[in-house]
Amino acid sequence: KRGINAEYGDLDTVISAPPPKVPQDVQVKVHWLTIEGSTPTIPDNPPMDEDTLVIDAPTISLDTTETINSVAPHEISREQQLYFRELTTKCITTDKTIRDEAVQSLSTDPGLAAVLPRLTVFIIEGIRVGLGESKMYYIQYMLEMLDNMIQNKAIRLEKFLHDIIPAVISCMVCTQICARPLELDHWTVRGNAARILSALVRAHNMGTNQIQSRVTRMLHHALDKHNSSLVSYFGVLAGLCELGPLTINSIVLPEIRSIYRRWS
């Protein structure tokens, strides 16, 4: 029943009114699940559970005086954080047996994918510290880690190459990478860096990124500099020779005469 004061609507008004909008059909919306290893905080993504945390850049000590600091926060679980700390600690220990075992695990462990951004920063910062302090063993440790990571089929390093390649080239051409260059074998370290550079290029060179041609141009440009030191020339030549016979024939051999005149 309607109340005493109830108002009656006009039927003609209801009939002549425009029809309501048709409900929208089901739609699919695209959004980022993760960006550079971090899950963006947006309504479309589920909230993080209690086992996930954002860790600030940790400080990983190489010895009592020098440290390597990561530069970008990266979301990893507590278990992954412990794994990262244990792995990096073993990779830089003075115990060769433990270090070799940890470094070799980098070539096969599929779990590296979760900590790859942080591990890459660790290596790059380690090279920076080694070059800045002329401590060659820092550089050797980092190159060994990187060499084994390249062999790991479960990870891909494409989005880190813009940082990795300049760091490796610096190990090749830096004027001084050890405190006693006349006593320590820095030539082998430069040669290893050139071999690792070649492995990176072969593993990731594609028609879309043209990594090999870009690296070749960079090294060729360094070869034309007349104010470079002998050790820098050695690193450049080692890198070019590691890139294959085509690079040797097209770039290195035509420059042999001028290099000989410059250093004879």
Side-chain angles (χ1 to χ4, degrees):
K1 289 185 177 180
R2 299 182 65 87
I4 298 176
N5 297 325
E7 297 181 358
Y8 293 91
D10 187 0
L11 185 59
D12 293 335
T13 303
V14 176
I15 295 175
S16 60
K21 294 183 179 179
V22 178
Q24 293 184 351
D25 197 1
V26 178
Q27 295 180 347
V28 177
K29 180 181 179 181
V30 178
H31 66 279
W32 288 103
L33 293 177
T34 180
I35 301 176
E36 297 293 336
S38 300
T39 302
T41 306
I42 57 177
D44 304 284
N45 286 333
M48 293 186 298
D49 53 42
E50 295 181 354
D51 292 334
T52 305
L53 73 160
V54 178
I55 61 174
D56 293 329
T59 299
I60 309 299
S61 297
L62 290 178
D63 56 28
T64 56
T65 58
E66 299 296 335
T67 58
I68 290 181
N69 298 313
S70 300
V71 296
H74 173 54
E75 290 180 6
I76 56 178
S77 68
R78 295 181 186 274
E79 292 78 8
Q80 292 166 344
Q81 181 180 359
L82 294 175
Y83 165 72
F84 169 77
R85 291 186 181 276
E86 181 178 359
L87 175 65
T88 52
T89 300
K90 289 182 177 180
C91 285
I92 59 177
T93 183
T94 55
D95 189 322
K96 189 176 186 304
T97 302
I98 296 177
R99 186 176 69 251
D100 289 346
E101 182 180 355
V103 170
Q104 290 175 6
S105 71
L106 297 175
S107 63
T108 56
D109 191 352
L112 289 183
V115 297
L116 187 57
R118 186 163 293 276
L119 189 59
T120 304
V121 172
F122 180 86
I123 293 174
I124 295 170
E125 288 293 291
I127 291 175
R128 182 186 63 80
V129 170
L131 293 175
E133 300 296 330
S134 297
K135 295 187 175 180
M136 194 170 66
Y137 67 94
Y138 282 15
I139 302 171
Q140 289 176 306
Y141 292 167
M142 300 302 119
L143 290 178
E144 288 175 359
M145 294 175 66
L146 184 57
D147 191 16
N148 282 269
M149 288 170 59
I150 296 171
Q151 304 173 40
N152 194 326
K153 303 300 182 182
I155 61 175
R156 300 292 294 177
L157 299 172
E158 287 97 335
K159 64 180 181 179
F160 309 107
L161 292 180
H162 65 285
D163 290 324
I164 295 176
I165 288 179
V168 175
I169 293 179
S170 297
C171 298
M172 295 161 42
V173 303
C174 186
T175 302
Q176 184 171 347
I177 64 175
C178 61
R180 302 187 305 277
L182 297 180
E183 302 175 17
L184 301 178
D185 186 14
H186 62 94
W187 306 101
T188 299
V189 176
R190 297 177 192 273
N192 289 336
R195 179 180 54 80
I196 291 172
L197 175 65
S198 175
L200 284 168
V201 170
R202 290 196 307 270
H204 302 93
N205 184 58
M206 295 182 294
T208 54
N209 55 34
Q210 297 181 342
I211 291 178
Q212 179 160 353
S213 61
R214 292 160 65 183
V215 170
T216 302
R217 286 196 302 269
M218 183 188 305
L219 295 178
H220 192 190
H221 177 69
L223 195 64
D224 291 335
K225 291 184 177 180
H226 295 276
N227 58 347
S228 299
S229 62
L230 177 62
V231 292
S232 297
Y233 269 99
F234 172 84
V236 172
L237 287 172
L240 290 171
C241 291
E242 288 287 350
L243 291 177
L246 182 60
T247 304
I248 295 175
N249 293 333
S250 61
I251 295 179
V252 177
L253 293 181
E255 296 286 345
I256 289 295
R257 186 182 298 273
S258 62
I259 294 174
Y260 172 77
R261 290 175 178 174
R262 192 176 306 165
W263 294 104
S264 60

